[in-house]
Amino acid sequence: METMNRTRELQDHVRAAFNDKTALKIVGGNTKHFYGNKSNAKKTNVIETRIHQGIISYEPSELVITARAGTPLKEIEALLAENNQMLPFDPPHFGEHATLGGAIATGLSGSRRPFTGSARDFVLGSKIISGKGDVMSFGGQVMKNVAGYDVSRLMVGALGTLGLLLEISIKVLPKPNTEATQVIAMSQQDALITMHKLNQTSLPLSALTYENEKLYVRLSGALSAVTSAQKKVGGETLLHAEKLWQEINEQTFSFFTESNNKPLWRLSVPYIANIDLNENSLIDWAGALYWIHSDKKAEEIQQHAIEQGGSAMLFRTHQVKAEKNAQDCFMPLPAKIKQLHVNLKMRFDPRGILNYGRLYSDL
Amino acid sequence: MRYHCRMTRATKDNRKSLRKQLHQVLPKTCILETPEQTIPYESDGLTAYQQKPWMVVLPESIEQVQTIIRLCHKEGVPVVARGAGTGLSGGALPLANGLLLSLAKFNRILDINPANRSATVEPGVRNLAISEAVEKFNLYYAPDPSSQIACTIGGNVAENAGGVHCLKYGLTVHNILQLKIITIDGELITIGSQALDTPGYDLLALMTGSEGMLGIIVEVIVKLLPRPEQAQVILAAFDDVVKAGEAVGAIIAEGIIPAGLEMMDNPAICAAEDYAHAGYPVDAEAILLCELDGTNEEVTEQIQFVENLLTQKGATSLRTSQNTAERLKLWLGRKSAFPAVGRISPDYYCMDGTIPRHQLPFILQKISDLSKEYNLLVANVFHAGDGNLHPLILYDANIEGELERTEEFGGKILELCVKAGGTITGEHGVGKEKIDQMCVQFKSLELQIFHDIKHSFDPQELLNPGKAVPTLHRCAELGGMHVHDGLLPHPELERF
Ligand SMILES: Cc1cc2nc3c(=O)[nH]c(=O)nc-3n(C[C@H](O)[C@H](O)[C@H](O)COP(=O)(O)OP(=O)(O)OC[C@H]3O[C@@H](n4cnc5c(N)ncnc54)[C@H](O)[C@@H]3O)c2cc1C
């Protein structure tokens, strides 16, 4: 296993940037460059985490893996698979070189999320470099830890704006013995009702996803449990289901590729939300996540999401940079919450050098 | 120096003025002031620490909490929030010069939404009351601290409480969706949402386990889970604690995540059996309680598998619950372990370290050595699945010096946990109790960022000051006591 411990090099890089106030763009595998705002800093300097890679420790019976942030996700997943384990939150790769750091900084989770948990749920500890160039460690390698504030989870989804991730400890889970996917043809209305019903049962669900008149129900667990659940759920058993889930997660599924050049929106809403934007959508997370291609105005989409108790973000767009940057990709925050964000940013990164503007244009 | 503790900033005049204003805005029944009235609040579950509060308020509405907090903010008087006061780290320990804000009257379940698998509750609702209220929908709230009949959801969020089922279903942080918080300037803010993801930083994670230091929780939306179709628990006896520990690792290595996986050693078994009559084998050196849940088929399959595995790993006897009553009875012994130990000893001190599981033999050996050294008995109760130890040190506070020796012993156990790659607290929080061990666990840089986080929310340190995070000076003063490998932990600070 190739390991490259370049903490010092990265730390010197951040310190130098701190001293001459250079904005740093943190790049791992560069597979999620499209996610979030484009940096609006004038003088930007790229800092690459891929020089800092390698699995530091992994003990399957402890259910914990610790790796450097620049470690390729596929290396981690391959090692876990050898031991019949997995990253339980299905992080999308969006490219061959995706790193662990990128997965955690974006905090994205796949279809399994309502049933097993999200990226932040599985983060146990982290080592970071702050915007001042300080190396700090939080949390640890144990499942339960309430010493100090939960800074490790605060890093998840922060897009590197509070710290450059150096190392991350993650709880892993055994791979389910058996997985099967049932497909049931039905309308969106019926699919939502079915999803809500199933979501209140104790069936061994691991995905409830709807697209183009089809409800996909993935079941995971002991063979006997999956077999009996298949009967209860009904529909047809999908062959080669793994490919479907892979395509949905990696957005290579036809829904995502046939966008007609419309921007892709991601709506995170309550399970019971009633999203009606009159656009083509893929519904995941048992009704709690909508992917929508739409060139409607951002305000309209976001307002609809708010009314339904959720939020909307512009996930991908073909628009050029200037246009995209006219507005934050993420929904505006209420004033007091924004103030808390600014306060935290000031403490972790007082000169605003870490991925400035990537999450919100003023963070 | 910015690290100086500012908790005594409020003067007598400030308090006088605050008192007058509180009497104007709150009904009489919401204020407790006489010593007889305030005495019940002088301790939380860690009764070794006592401090009568200057004054207790029991508001009845969010608006009242806002008013109270605004007034405290204006007068610079510190506030300590309190749920049920079952905390075991002195987190809700009052301040002599501060207000104690009890959330006891916020005890209503506001909404149950089965289709969204969520319930909206006030912070003073008892943990168990939630599961009881949603039972008719075949749902439950997963985190189940042993104190669940008494402790409140607000206190659970503030401590990130766990329970015997958190190995599979997670801690409080994994089981809440949204909080409403009153910030120190009296604003009501919403953190998280009814959706699974919320834009911005994960303030929900930051608030969870923040021990009342960042804001007052006035409403919680919890996630609910469907009740599993089937649940069975296996009681396995071992003639050696190390064998029991190895069996735990073996179960997990086989790809099984039990709903609960608990271990008790002989003194704990005897105390629990005497108290709960759960049928525990009192001659065993250790027992494991392994609960498996899921669909009928799955549980049947896994129970058989785990029974075989436990036998292979040296279990001397096995008993598997055949119905709900039996299952609950087996758990009762474990869940009442603390009060049970309380019956066999005048006092006990509950520790809460967490270790990587494979370090169990090392830690148990060390605890046993220390037990001899300090001449104090220990009963071990252990959330084995996730490495969370609860050694209970038995002592008698009436014997002079015994409490001090107990605390010293406890402190050593926590330092051992850190040394073994673990942490000083898995679920009970730092509070007042473990503040010195924080200096062992963290370096100055991290402690400073904790203070920075605190100041991002509460710049004047009015919310539960003096808890959870030690000042760097305190650590520096202690530094001399904690020399590791000849290195002082905070060399950058002056000693005095
Ligand atoms: C017998 C026994 C068994 C226990 N078993 C477990 C266990 O299995 N797992 C576990 O995790 N814990 C356990 N505990 C510890 C304790 O029950 C938990 O820490 C619980 O979460 C505390 O809840 P509470 O309502 O009593 O809070 P309190 O003790 O009143 O307060 C705890 C902390 O929360 C803060 N707080 C309370 N309410 C609010 C609010 N509304 N807003 C902001 N801050 C607030 C307080 O300031 C304090 O810092 C046990 C305790 C006992 C006595």
Side-chain angles (χ1 to χ4, degrees), chain B residues 81 83-88 91 145-147 152 155-156 158-159 161-162 211-212 215 217 427 464:
Chain B
T86 67
L88 290 173
S146 303
S147 51
T152 68
N156 290 173
E159 300 287 13
E211 304 195 14
I217 302 158
E427 58 183 14
N464 214 4

Side-chain angles (χ1 to χ4, degrees), chain A residues 296-330:
Chain A
K296 289 203 167 81
K297 278 213 169 72
E299 290 77 13
E300 187 184 336
I301 297 173
Q302 293 180 338
Q303 189 53 39
H304 186 63
I306 292 174
E307 280 161 12
Q308 293 295 320
S311 65
M313 66 106 22
L314 179 58
F315 197 79
R316 277 182 206 263
T317 171
H318 300 282
Q319 285 164 325
V320 287
K321 186 180 156 187
E323 258 177 273
K324 183 183 171 187
N325 265 4
Q327 225 161 6
D328 282 323
C329 291
F330 294 93

